[in-house]
Amino acid sequence: MLILEGIRKVYGEGGDNPVEALKDINLEVKKGEIFGVVGYSGAGKSSLIRCVNLLEKPTSGKVKVNGTDLTKLSPKKLRAERKKIGMIFQQFNLLHSKTAFGNVAMPLIIEGYAKEDIDKKVRKLLSFVGLEDKADHYPEQLSGGQKQRIGIARALATDPHVLLCDEATSALDPDTTNAVLELLKQVRDELGITILLITHEMNVIRDICDRVAVLDGGVIVEQDSTINLFTEPKTAIARSFVRTVLNDALPEATLKKVLEKGESNSVYRILYKGESANDPLLSDVAKKFKIDINVIYGTITEIQGQPFGNIIVELNGDPQEINNVVDYIKGRQVTIKEVKSDAV
Amino acid sequence: MQFDWSWFWPELFGALNDTMYMIIVAFLISILIGIPLGIILVITRENGILENKAVFNILNIVVNVLRSIPFIILIVAIIPVTRLIVGTSIGTTAAIVPLVFYTAPYIGRLVENSLLEVDPGTIELAEAMGATPWQIIWKFLLPEALGSLILSLTIAIIGLIGATAMAGAVGGGGIGDLAISYGYNQFQTEVMVITVIILVIMVQFIQSLGNYLSKKIRRS
Ligand SMILES: Nc1ncnc2c1ncn2[C@@H]1O[C@H](COP(=O)(O)OP(=O)(O)OP(=O)(O)O)[C@@H](O)[C@H]1O
Ligand SMILES: [Mg+2]
């Protein structure tokens, strides 16, 4: 559907201090997928998403949308392709001189649609985003969330097959963010539109992305399904992003206390996701084995609608019995790891 | 000395007529040149939608040169051009030529500034939508800048009024001429006072109108 191949972007090439914002980006977004790119400020997120519709021309590499390499197109053909790629922005970019209706109508006007068709289509879009009653309002009469809804309606006007979201919720408060994310999900589920979004907020990834890529210094350092990235982040930067919404760090004092007791092999982290989260694992263990289980810490979060549990337990008892417990838990498709003093 | 009003009124109306003629014609021509000029300065500049260094640099220099010449010198300096265009270098119609040379680059700059004030996000949006450069200018840039453009044109027309009065002093006619020849050269203070009052009222009126229109468009 959407493929980035070896994308490089150098700003100020040939100048005194060129900035290599993207270095060899390879990415494939599948049809109907919500794909998230997360990264810190300056990682190159905006450069990346702007390279997709060539608002920023990649220094090298290919951008394929539905098989067409956009970098090879004439300006005219590129404009035609851009009409099939919707985009929404962090600052909404609504036209102040136009009403909500006028803003949504804009892509249709430049397409040369007839007035009645525009009218019908815009009403439909406004009702899709739940703002039919705001048609005659000007942007400054709308809240941030409403502005972004108008932005979304406008991006959908030309029936695009891809929607690019550049920090679409970063200017919104948490409640509004959730509502807009819900709407984006609806865009994918009901209209089948593929979504590529960039964000620095991990909760956005957690709530709506199927897959995620972590961008750092212009390089994709990790890429996985959202649930895998959250449960088993491989790089330090992915881990620190996960921690922003899923605090699994053991309280310092607890960790110290536990480890000071000198008994090794006694503190474990148990991670379970999906179906297994519903099983009464710990009570089964307590019944089957002769050990004491002390839950030190625990959280359960939903990632993409799937429960994900992360608990830390202290197992007291015979070392052999503890090993048996560990094996038993592993046998139930649940991850269990010993917590060391450099616990991660 | 008793001031003789009987000759004054017809003289004043004639002068006002000349002044209005100069302002209106010079302003219309200046807009026709200045607005496209401002647009071209914006779109051809670095990172503009139709970036073109050569065009931008040339126009930029021309505007700078014209803008740096004091009007009174400009009138004299372009006399050959004026002769070429209107056949004479004195009179109301002849004054329009230097007025345009003075006002058009000024409007060009003002329009340029107004358009540059438009949020760059607007152009980005338009490009992402697949708008042509022409559509970007007409459907995005100009409408978004309209309130600011009206204020710019208000400033330009006020500058033009001042220049028109000056043009009068060097044979262009109009109320500037009236003020100099009677008010100043013949020490008829009344004439001076009345022309000044008329100029003040004109400027006030145009500024208020401009403010009103701009406010209405910006809805604030
Ligand atoms: N137009 C530009 N000219 C020169 N350098 C640029 C330009 N745009 C971005 N950069 C540089 O490229 C790098 C990546 O910038 P980019 O805006 O893509 O990062 P980002 O991940 O979107 O950051 P943020 O979260 O702060 O928006 C930065 O070092 C930035 O300074
Ligand atoms: Mg950015």
Side-chain angles (χ1 to χ4, degrees), chain A residues 50 53 55 79 82-83 89 93 95-98 106 110 138 140 154, chain B residues 121-122 124-125 127-133 135 139-140 143-144 219:
Chain A
R50 291 159 55 82
N53 58 0
L55 282 180
R79 284 197 293 270
R82 277 175 171 167
K83 287 177 181 163
F89 306 84
N93 289 357
L95 301 172
H96 304 285
S97 58
K98 305 266 186 308
M106 225 37 215
I110 64 174
Y138 282 92
E140 68 262 24
R154 180 176 62 189
Chain B
T122 300
E124 196 168 283
L125 164 80
E127 288 190 316
M129 253 183 218
T132 61
Q135 287 172 328
K139 303 228 175 266
F140 294 84
E144 285 293 286
R219 300 177 311 278

PDB file of all heavy atoms in Angstrom, chain A residues 50 53 55 79 82-83 89 93 95-98 106 110 138 140 154, chain B residues 121-122 124-125 127-133 135 139-140 143-144 219:
ATOM      1  N   ARG A  50       6.384  14.102   5.903  1.00  0.00           N
ATOM      2  CA  ARG A  50       6.300  15.078   4.819  1.00  0.00           C
ATOM      3  C   ARG A  50       6.961  14.561   3.538  1.00  0.00           C
ATOM      4  O   ARG A  50       6.682  15.053   2.448  1.00  0.00           O
ATOM      5  CB  ARG A  50       6.922  16.397   5.254  1.00  0.00           C
ATOM      6  CG  ARG A  50       6.085  17.100   6.339  1.00  0.00           C
ATOM      7  CD  ARG A  50       6.909  18.085   7.111  1.00  0.00           C
ATOM      8  NE  ARG A  50       7.525  19.024   6.212  1.00  0.00           N
ATOM      9  CZ  ARG A  50       6.919  20.097   5.721  1.00  0.00           C
ATOM     10  NH1 ARG A  50       5.705  20.361   6.098  1.00  0.00           N
ATOM     11  NH2 ARG A  50       7.534  20.893   4.893  1.00  0.00           N
ATOM     12  N   ASN A  53       4.172  12.538   1.116  1.00  0.00           N
ATOM     13  CA  ASN A  53       3.425  13.213   0.031  1.00  0.00           C
ATOM     14  C   ASN A  53       4.292  14.283  -0.641  1.00  0.00           C
ATOM     15  O   ASN A  53       3.779  15.166  -1.319  1.00  0.00           O
ATOM     16  CB  ASN A  53       2.108  13.792   0.531  1.00  0.00           C
ATOM     17  CG  ASN A  53       2.291  14.785   1.651  1.00  0.00           C
ATOM     18  OD1 ASN A  53       3.399  15.057   2.083  1.00  0.00           O
ATOM     19  ND2 ASN A  53       1.193  15.339   2.116  1.00  0.00           N
ATOM     20  N   LEU A  55       5.825  16.809   0.374  1.00  0.00           N
ATOM     21  CA  LEU A  55       5.881  18.204   0.799  1.00  0.00           C
ATOM     22  C   LEU A  55       7.353  18.545   0.975  1.00  0.00           C
ATOM     23  O   LEU A  55       7.778  19.680   0.831  1.00  0.00           O
ATOM     24  CB  LEU A  55       5.153  18.393   2.136  1.00  0.00           C
ATOM     25  CG  LEU A  55       3.630  18.441   2.067  1.00  0.00           C
ATOM     26  CD1 LEU A  55       3.047  18.632   3.458  1.00  0.00           C
ATOM     27  CD2 LEU A  55       3.162  19.534   1.135  1.00  0.00           C
ATOM     28  N   ARG A  79       0.273  16.143  -8.230  1.00  0.00           N
ATOM     29  CA  ARG A  79      -0.914  16.782  -7.643  1.00  0.00           C
ATOM     30  C   ARG A  79      -2.102  15.834  -7.653  1.00  0.00           C
ATOM     31  O   ARG A  79      -2.850  15.747  -6.688  1.00  0.00           O
ATOM     32  CB  ARG A  79      -1.255  18.069  -8.406  1.00  0.00           C
ATOM     33  CG  ARG A  79      -0.331  19.223  -8.065  1.00  0.00           C
ATOM     34  CD  ARG A  79      -0.920  20.549  -8.488  1.00  0.00           C
ATOM     35  NE  ARG A  79      -1.011  20.687  -9.933  1.00  0.00           N
ATOM     36  CZ  ARG A  79      -0.035  21.206 -10.692  1.00  0.00           C
ATOM     37  NH1 ARG A  79       1.069  21.632 -10.143  1.00  0.00           N
ATOM     38  NH2 ARG A  79      -0.191  21.303 -11.990  1.00  0.00           N
ATOM     39  N   ARG A  82      -1.601  13.358  -4.914  1.00  0.00           N
ATOM     40  CA  ARG A  82      -1.774  13.953  -3.586  1.00  0.00           C
ATOM     41  C   ARG A  82      -3.243  14.022  -3.187  1.00  0.00           C
ATOM     42  O   ARG A  82      -3.595  14.005  -2.008  1.00  0.00           O
ATOM     43  CB  ARG A  82      -1.187  15.356  -3.562  1.00  0.00           C
ATOM     44  CG  ARG A  82       0.317  15.368  -3.316  1.00  0.00           C
ATOM     45  CD  ARG A  82       0.835  16.762  -3.426  1.00  0.00           C
ATOM     46  NE  ARG A  82       2.226  16.840  -2.986  1.00  0.00           N
ATOM     47  CZ  ARG A  82       3.002  17.896  -3.219  1.00  0.00           C
ATOM     48  NH1 ARG A  82       2.517  18.939  -3.882  1.00  0.00           N
ATOM     49  NH2 ARG A  82       4.249  17.912  -2.783  1.00  0.00           N
ATOM     50  N   LYS A  83      -4.105  14.124  -4.182  1.00  0.00           N
ATOM     51  CA  LYS A  83      -5.539  14.177  -3.870  1.00  0.00           C
ATOM     52  C   LYS A  83      -6.012  12.868  -3.266  1.00  0.00           C
ATOM     53  O   LYS A  83      -7.051  12.821  -2.625  1.00  0.00           O
ATOM     54  CB  LYS A  83      -6.325  14.515  -5.135  1.00  0.00           C
ATOM     55  CG  LYS A  83      -6.117  15.977  -5.480  1.00  0.00           C
ATOM     56  CD  LYS A  83      -6.773  16.434  -6.733  1.00  0.00           C
ATOM     57  CE  LYS A  83      -6.419  17.908  -6.920  1.00  0.00           C
ATOM     58  NZ  LYS A  83      -6.638  18.399  -8.267  1.00  0.00           N
ATOM     59  N   PHE A  89      -2.969  17.912  10.378  1.00  0.00           N
ATOM     60  CA  PHE A  89      -1.795  18.579  10.932  1.00  0.00           C
ATOM     61  C   PHE A  89      -1.939  18.849  12.429  1.00  0.00           C
ATOM     62  O   PHE A  89      -3.043  18.979  12.941  1.00  0.00           O
ATOM     63  CB  PHE A  89      -1.582  19.920  10.220  1.00  0.00           C
ATOM     64  CG  PHE A  89      -1.516  19.811   8.731  1.00  0.00           C
ATOM     65  CD1 PHE A  89      -2.680  19.796   7.969  1.00  0.00           C
ATOM     66  CD2 PHE A  89      -0.308  19.714   8.075  1.00  0.00           C
ATOM     67  CE1 PHE A  89      -2.626  19.693   6.588  1.00  0.00           C
ATOM     68  CE2 PHE A  89      -0.243  19.608   6.697  1.00  0.00           C
ATOM     69  CZ  PHE A  89      -1.406  19.596   5.954  1.00  0.00           C
ATOM     70  N   ASN A  93      -4.246  23.686  10.608  1.00  0.00           N
ATOM     71  CA  ASN A  93      -4.172  24.383   9.317  1.00  0.00           C
ATOM     72  C   ASN A  93      -5.532  24.635   8.687  1.00  0.00           C
ATOM     73  O   ASN A  93      -5.739  24.403   7.498  1.00  0.00           O
ATOM     74  CB  ASN A  93      -3.293  23.607   8.325  1.00  0.00           C
ATOM     75  CG  ASN A  93      -1.827  23.681   8.702  1.00  0.00           C
ATOM     76  OD1 ASN A  93      -1.473  24.352   9.668  1.00  0.00           O
ATOM     77  ND2 ASN A  93      -0.978  23.018   7.960  1.00  0.00           N
ATOM     78  N   LEU A  95      -8.400  27.148   7.265  1.00  0.00           N
ATOM     79  CA  LEU A  95      -8.394  28.481   6.671  1.00  0.00           C
ATOM     80  C   LEU A  95      -9.282  29.390   7.516  1.00  0.00           C
ATOM     81  O   LEU A  95     -10.457  29.109   7.716  1.00  0.00           O
ATOM     82  CB  LEU A  95      -8.917  28.411   5.236  1.00  0.00           C
ATOM     83  CG  LEU A  95      -8.111  27.487   4.319  1.00  0.00           C
ATOM     84  CD1 LEU A  95      -8.805  27.321   2.977  1.00  0.00           C
ATOM     85  CD2 LEU A  95      -6.705  28.028   4.125  1.00  0.00           C
ATOM     86  N   HIS A  96      -8.690  30.481   7.992  1.00  0.00           N
ATOM     87  CA  HIS A  96      -9.453  31.373   8.877  1.00  0.00           C
ATOM     88  C   HIS A  96     -10.529  32.133   8.137  1.00  0.00           C
ATOM     89  O   HIS A  96     -11.484  32.608   8.734  1.00  0.00           O
ATOM     90  CB  HIS A  96      -8.501  32.348   9.568  1.00  0.00           C
ATOM     91  CG  HIS A  96      -7.418  31.648  10.325  1.00  0.00           C
ATOM     92  ND1 HIS A  96      -7.654  31.023  11.522  1.00  0.00           N
ATOM     93  CD2 HIS A  96      -6.114  31.429  10.036  1.00  0.00           C
ATOM     94  CE1 HIS A  96      -6.542  30.452  11.937  1.00  0.00           C
ATOM     95  NE2 HIS A  96      -5.580  30.683  11.052  1.00  0.00           N
ATOM     96  N   SER A  97     -10.337  32.263   6.838  1.00  0.00           N
ATOM     97  CA  SER A  97     -11.293  33.044   6.064  1.00  0.00           C
ATOM     98  C   SER A  97     -12.510  32.213   5.665  1.00  0.00           C
ATOM     99  O   SER A  97     -13.420  32.731   5.041  1.00  0.00           O
ATOM    100  CB  SER A  97     -10.611  33.602   4.814  1.00  0.00           C
ATOM    101  OG  SER A  97     -10.090  32.540   4.026  1.00  0.00           O
ATOM    102  N   LYS A  98     -12.500  30.938   6.027  1.00  0.00           N
ATOM    103  CA  LYS A  98     -13.607  30.067   5.620  1.00  0.00           C
ATOM    104  C   LYS A  98     -14.292  29.449   6.829  1.00  0.00           C
ATOM    105  O   LYS A  98     -13.660  29.209   7.850  1.00  0.00           O
ATOM    106  CB  LYS A  98     -13.070  28.927   4.742  1.00  0.00           C
ATOM    107  CG  LYS A  98     -12.279  29.366   3.534  1.00  0.00           C
ATOM    108  CD  LYS A  98     -13.157  29.463   2.310  1.00  0.00           C
ATOM    109  CE  LYS A  98     -12.390  29.767   1.044  1.00  0.00           C
ATOM    110  NZ  LYS A  98     -11.500  30.925   1.119  1.00  0.00           N
ATOM    111  N   MET A 106     -13.038  22.804   0.487  1.00  0.00           N
ATOM    112  CA  MET A 106     -11.861  23.250  -0.269  1.00  0.00           C
ATOM    113  C   MET A 106     -11.294  22.219  -1.260  1.00  0.00           C
ATOM    114  O   MET A 106     -11.094  22.534  -2.432  1.00  0.00           O
ATOM    115  CB  MET A 106     -10.794  23.673   0.748  1.00  0.00           C
ATOM    116  CG  MET A 106     -10.098  24.956   0.472  1.00  0.00           C
ATOM    117  SD  MET A 106     -11.089  26.244  -0.207  1.00  0.00           S
ATOM    118  CE  MET A 106      -9.849  26.961  -1.249  1.00  0.00           C
ATOM    119  N   ILE A 110     -11.244  22.800  -5.414  1.00  0.00           N
ATOM    120  CA  ILE A 110     -10.095  22.800  -6.322  1.00  0.00           C
ATOM    121  C   ILE A 110     -10.151  21.628  -7.302  1.00  0.00           C
ATOM    122  O   ILE A 110      -9.500  21.645  -8.333  1.00  0.00           O
ATOM    123  CB  ILE A 110      -8.722  22.850  -5.591  1.00  0.00           C
ATOM    124  CG1 ILE A 110      -8.497  21.613  -4.751  1.00  0.00           C
ATOM    125  CG2 ILE A 110      -8.601  24.084  -4.736  1.00  0.00           C
ATOM    126  CD1 ILE A 110      -7.095  21.593  -4.160  1.00  0.00           C
ATOM    127  N   TYR A 138     -16.812  29.682  12.123  1.00  0.00           N
ATOM    128  CA  TYR A 138     -15.450  29.931  11.666  1.00  0.00           C
ATOM    129  C   TYR A 138     -14.485  29.225  12.621  1.00  0.00           C
ATOM    130  O   TYR A 138     -14.835  28.971  13.772  1.00  0.00           O
ATOM    131  CB  TYR A 138     -15.175  31.431  11.615  1.00  0.00           C
ATOM    132  CG  TYR A 138     -15.792  32.078  10.399  1.00  0.00           C
ATOM    133  CD1 TYR A 138     -17.068  32.632  10.453  1.00  0.00           C
ATOM    134  CD2 TYR A 138     -15.106  32.092   9.194  1.00  0.00           C
ATOM    135  CE1 TYR A 138     -17.649  33.202   9.326  1.00  0.00           C
ATOM    136  CE2 TYR A 138     -15.669  32.652   8.064  1.00  0.00           C
ATOM    137  CZ  TYR A 138     -16.943  33.214   8.127  1.00  0.00           C
ATOM    138  OH  TYR A 138     -17.495  33.747   7.012  1.00  0.00           O
ATOM    139  N   GLU A 140     -12.128  30.083  14.516  1.00  0.00           N
ATOM    140  CA  GLU A 140     -11.887  30.601  15.868  1.00  0.00           C
ATOM    141  C   GLU A 140     -13.081  30.389  16.800  1.00  0.00           C
ATOM    142  O   GLU A 140     -12.978  30.599  18.001  1.00  0.00           O
ATOM    143  CB  GLU A 140     -11.476  32.085  15.828  1.00  0.00           C
ATOM    144  CG  GLU A 140     -12.553  33.033  15.386  1.00  0.00           C
ATOM    145  CD  GLU A 140     -12.420  33.381  13.905  1.00  0.00           C
ATOM    146  OE1 GLU A 140     -11.820  32.567  13.156  1.00  0.00           O
ATOM    147  OE2 GLU A 140     -12.898  34.437  13.501  1.00  0.00           O
ATOM    148  N   ARG A 154     -12.064  17.331   6.154  1.00  0.00           N
ATOM    149  CA  ARG A 154     -11.478  17.916   4.950  1.00  0.00           C
ATOM    150  C   ARG A 154     -10.530  16.927   4.259  1.00  0.00           C
ATOM    151  O   ARG A 154     -10.539  16.787   3.039  1.00  0.00           O
ATOM    152  CB  ARG A 154     -10.720  19.195   5.321  1.00  0.00           C
ATOM    153  CG  ARG A 154     -10.079  19.889   4.146  1.00  0.00           C
ATOM    154  CD  ARG A 154      -9.437  21.181   4.557  1.00  0.00           C
ATOM    155  NE  ARG A 154      -8.363  20.958   5.516  1.00  0.00           N
ATOM    156  CZ  ARG A 154      -7.736  21.921   6.170  1.00  0.00           C
ATOM    157  NH1 ARG A 154      -8.088  23.181   5.993  1.00  0.00           N
ATOM    158  NH2 ARG A 154      -6.772  21.644   7.025  1.00  0.00           N
TER     159      ARG A 154
ATOM    160  N   GLY B 121       1.601  27.077   7.133  1.00  0.00           N
ATOM    161  CA  GLY B 121       0.781  25.866   7.143  1.00  0.00           C
ATOM    162  C   GLY B 121      -0.304  25.898   6.085  1.00  0.00           C
ATOM    163  O   GLY B 121      -0.718  24.852   5.575  1.00  0.00           O
ATOM    164  N   THR B 122      -0.767  27.089   5.748  1.00  0.00           N
ATOM    165  CA  THR B 122      -1.810  27.216   4.733  1.00  0.00           C
ATOM    166  C   THR B 122      -1.308  26.743   3.369  1.00  0.00           C
ATOM    167  O   THR B 122      -2.008  26.039   2.646  1.00  0.00           O
ATOM    168  CB  THR B 122      -2.266  28.687   4.635  1.00  0.00           C
ATOM    169  OG1 THR B 122      -2.779  29.075   5.907  1.00  0.00           O
ATOM    170  CG2 THR B 122      -3.338  28.865   3.585  1.00  0.00           C
ATOM    171  N   GLU B 124       1.275  24.767   2.887  1.00  0.00           N
ATOM    172  CA  GLU B 124       1.538  23.345   3.024  1.00  0.00           C
ATOM    173  C   GLU B 124       0.252  22.550   2.804  1.00  0.00           C
ATOM    174  O   GLU B 124       0.214  21.550   2.085  1.00  0.00           O
ATOM    175  CB  GLU B 124       2.047  23.113   4.445  1.00  0.00           C
ATOM    176  CG  GLU B 124       2.707  21.806   4.658  1.00  0.00           C
ATOM    177  CD  GLU B 124       3.411  21.820   5.999  1.00  0.00           C
ATOM    178  OE1 GLU B 124       4.488  22.426   6.066  1.00  0.00           O
ATOM    179  OE2 GLU B 124       2.882  21.248   6.961  1.00  0.00           O
ATOM    180  N   LEU B 125      -0.801  23.034   3.427  1.00  0.00           N
ATOM    181  CA  LEU B 125      -2.108  22.400   3.297  1.00  0.00           C
ATOM    182  C   LEU B 125      -2.530  22.362   1.832  1.00  0.00           C
ATOM    183  O   LEU B 125      -2.942  21.325   1.312  1.00  0.00           O
ATOM    184  CB  LEU B 125      -3.132  23.198   4.100  1.00  0.00           C
ATOM    185  CG  LEU B 125      -4.580  22.903   3.766  1.00  0.00           C
ATOM    186  CD1 LEU B 125      -5.023  21.652   4.447  1.00  0.00           C
ATOM    187  CD2 LEU B 125      -5.470  24.063   4.129  1.00  0.00           C
ATOM    188  N   GLU B 127      -0.737  22.569  -0.822  1.00  0.00           N
ATOM    189  CA  GLU B 127       0.093  21.658  -1.613  1.00  0.00           C
ATOM    190  C   GLU B 127      -0.281  20.204  -1.347  1.00  0.00           C
ATOM    191  O   GLU B 127      -0.370  19.403  -2.272  1.00  0.00           O
ATOM    192  CB  GLU B 127       1.572  21.890  -1.291  1.00  0.00           C
ATOM    193  CG  GLU B 127       2.070  23.208  -1.860  1.00  0.00           C
ATOM    194  CD  GLU B 127       3.578  23.347  -1.769  1.00  0.00           C
ATOM    195  OE1 GLU B 127       4.134  23.003  -0.700  1.00  0.00           O
ATOM    196  OE2 GLU B 127       4.194  23.789  -2.751  1.00  0.00           O
ATOM    197  N   ALA B 128      -0.522  19.903  -0.074  1.00  0.00           N
ATOM    198  CA  ALA B 128      -0.893  18.528   0.265  1.00  0.00           C
ATOM    199  C   ALA B 128      -2.214  18.150  -0.397  1.00  0.00           C
ATOM    200  O   ALA B 128      -2.476  16.995  -0.679  1.00  0.00           O
ATOM    201  CB  ALA B 128      -0.991  18.370   1.785  1.00  0.00           C
ATOM    202  N   MET B 129      -3.065  19.142  -0.625  1.00  0.00           N
ATOM    203  CA  MET B 129      -4.364  18.893  -1.246  1.00  0.00           C
ATOM    204  C   MET B 129      -4.239  18.711  -2.753  1.00  0.00           C
ATOM    205  O   MET B 129      -5.195  18.346  -3.412  1.00  0.00           O
ATOM    206  CB  MET B 129      -5.244  20.124  -1.035  1.00  0.00           C
ATOM    207  CG  MET B 129      -6.321  19.946  -0.030  1.00  0.00           C
ATOM    208  SD  MET B 129      -7.256  21.478  -0.037  1.00  0.00           S
ATOM    209  CE  MET B 129      -7.596  21.596   1.689  1.00  0.00           C
ATOM    210  N   GLY B 130      -3.069  19.048  -3.282  1.00  0.00           N
ATOM    211  CA  GLY B 130      -2.886  18.939  -4.724  1.00  0.00           C
ATOM    212  C   GLY B 130      -3.345  20.173  -5.479  1.00  0.00           C
ATOM    213  O   GLY B 130      -3.736  20.076  -6.644  1.00  0.00           O
ATOM    214  N   ALA B 131      -3.313  21.334  -4.825  1.00  0.00           N
ATOM    215  CA  ALA B 131      -3.706  22.573  -5.500  1.00  0.00           C
ATOM    216  C   ALA B 131      -2.603  23.023  -6.456  1.00  0.00           C
ATOM    217  O   ALA B 131      -1.417  22.819  -6.191  1.00  0.00           O
ATOM    218  CB  ALA B 131      -3.974  23.665  -4.467  1.00  0.00           C
ATOM    219  N   THR B 132      -2.990  23.645  -7.564  1.00  0.00           N
ATOM    220  CA  THR B 132      -2.004  24.192  -8.491  1.00  0.00           C
ATOM    221  C   THR B 132      -1.479  25.502  -7.916  1.00  0.00           C
ATOM    222  O   THR B 132      -2.131  26.104  -7.061  1.00  0.00           O
ATOM    223  CB  THR B 132      -2.643  24.494  -9.857  1.00  0.00           C
ATOM    224  OG1 THR B 132      -3.676  25.456  -9.655  1.00  0.00           O
ATOM    225  CG2 THR B 132      -3.246  23.247 -10.480  1.00  0.00           C
ATOM    226  N   PRO B 133      -0.320  25.969  -8.390  1.00  0.00           N
ATOM    227  CA  PRO B 133       0.189  27.254  -7.891  1.00  0.00           C
ATOM    228  C   PRO B 133      -0.857  28.374  -8.036  1.00  0.00           C
ATOM    229  O   PRO B 133      -1.023  29.202  -7.137  1.00  0.00           O
ATOM    230  CB  PRO B 133       1.405  27.505  -8.781  1.00  0.00           C
ATOM    231  CG  PRO B 133       1.875  26.153  -9.168  1.00  0.00           C
ATOM    232  CD  PRO B 133       0.637  25.309  -9.305  1.00  0.00           C
ATOM    233  N   GLN B 135      -4.101  28.075  -8.027  1.00  0.00           N
ATOM    234  CA  GLN B 135      -5.131  27.890  -6.991  1.00  0.00           C
ATOM    235  C   GLN B 135      -4.600  28.279  -5.620  1.00  0.00           C
ATOM    236  O   GLN B 135      -5.332  28.836  -4.804  1.00  0.00           O
ATOM    237  CB  GLN B 135      -5.586  26.426  -6.958  1.00  0.00           C
ATOM    238  CG  GLN B 135      -6.453  26.046  -8.146  1.00  0.00           C
ATOM    239  CD  GLN B 135      -6.736  24.551  -8.197  1.00  0.00           C
ATOM    240  OE1 GLN B 135      -5.897  23.738  -7.785  1.00  0.00           O
ATOM    241  NE2 GLN B 135      -7.898  24.191  -8.700  1.00  0.00           N
ATOM    242  N   LYS B 139      -7.014  30.838  -4.204  1.00  0.00           N
ATOM    243  CA  LYS B 139      -7.982  30.230  -3.298  1.00  0.00           C
ATOM    244  C   LYS B 139      -7.477  30.120  -1.863  1.00  0.00           C
ATOM    245  O   LYS B 139      -8.244  29.858  -0.950  1.00  0.00           O
ATOM    246  CB  LYS B 139      -8.372  28.835  -3.799  1.00  0.00           C
ATOM    247  CG  LYS B 139      -8.926  28.849  -5.199  1.00  0.00           C
ATOM    248  CD  LYS B 139     -10.204  28.039  -5.278  1.00  0.00           C
ATOM    249  CE  LYS B 139     -10.839  28.128  -6.632  1.00  0.00           C
ATOM    250  NZ  LYS B 139     -11.840  29.171  -6.726  1.00  0.00           N
ATOM    251  N   PHE B 140      -6.172  30.274  -1.673  1.00  0.00           N
ATOM    252  CA  PHE B 140      -5.641  30.129  -0.321  1.00  0.00           C
ATOM    253  C   PHE B 140      -4.966  31.419   0.154  1.00  0.00           C
ATOM    254  O   PHE B 140      -5.391  32.020   1.134  1.00  0.00           O
ATOM    255  CB  PHE B 140      -4.654  28.955  -0.261  1.00  0.00           C
ATOM    256  CG  PHE B 140      -5.299  27.621  -0.493  1.00  0.00           C
ATOM    257  CD1 PHE B 140      -5.511  27.141  -1.779  1.00  0.00           C
ATOM    258  CD2 PHE B 140      -5.716  26.839   0.578  1.00  0.00           C
ATOM    259  CE1 PHE B 140      -6.116  25.909  -1.998  1.00  0.00           C
ATOM    260  CE2 PHE B 140      -6.322  25.604   0.374  1.00  0.00           C
ATOM    261  CZ  PHE B 140      -6.524  25.145  -0.915  1.00  0.00           C
ATOM    262  N   PRO B 143      -7.261  34.996  -0.191  1.00  0.00           N
ATOM    263  CA  PRO B 143      -8.371  35.063   0.761  1.00  0.00           C
ATOM    264  C   PRO B 143      -7.892  35.113   2.211  1.00  0.00           C
ATOM    265  O   PRO B 143      -8.431  35.847   3.037  1.00  0.00           O
ATOM    266  CB  PRO B 143      -9.154  33.768   0.517  1.00  0.00           C
ATOM    267  CG  PRO B 143      -8.792  33.343  -0.847  1.00  0.00           C
ATOM    268  CD  PRO B 143      -7.391  33.817  -1.081  1.00  0.00           C
ATOM    269  N   GLU B 144      -6.840  34.345   2.523  1.00  0.00           N
ATOM    270  CA  GLU B 144      -6.355  34.329   3.897  1.00  0.00           C
ATOM    271  C   GLU B 144      -5.717  35.668   4.277  1.00  0.00           C
ATOM    272  O   GLU B 144      -5.712  36.058   5.433  1.00  0.00           O
ATOM    273  CB  GLU B 144      -5.333  33.201   4.098  1.00  0.00           C
ATOM    274  CG  GLU B 144      -5.946  31.835   4.184  1.00  0.00           C
ATOM    275  CD  GLU B 144      -6.805  31.634   5.420  1.00  0.00           C
ATOM    276  OE1 GLU B 144      -6.262  31.494   6.517  1.00  0.00           O
ATOM    277  OE2 GLU B 144      -8.047  31.632   5.275  1.00  0.00           O
ATOM    278  N   ARG B 219     -13.434  39.530  10.995  1.00  0.00           N
ATOM    279  CA  ARG B 219     -14.451  39.199  11.989  1.00  0.00           C
ATOM    280  C   ARG B 219     -13.909  39.308  13.414  1.00  0.00           C
ATOM    281  O   ARG B 219     -14.075  38.407  14.231  1.00  0.00           O
ATOM    282  CB  ARG B 219     -14.978  37.781  11.796  1.00  0.00           C
ATOM    283  CG  ARG B 219     -15.618  37.509  10.466  1.00  0.00           C
ATOM    284  CD  ARG B 219     -16.013  36.059  10.386  1.00  0.00           C
ATOM    285  NE  ARG B 219     -14.909  35.198  10.773  1.00  0.00           N
ATOM    286  CZ  ARG B 219     -13.927  34.845   9.970  1.00  0.00           C
ATOM    287  NH1 ARG B 219     -13.911  35.244   8.746  1.00  0.00           N
ATOM    288  NH2 ARG B 219     -12.975  34.067  10.402  1.00  0.00           N
TER     289      ARG B 219
END
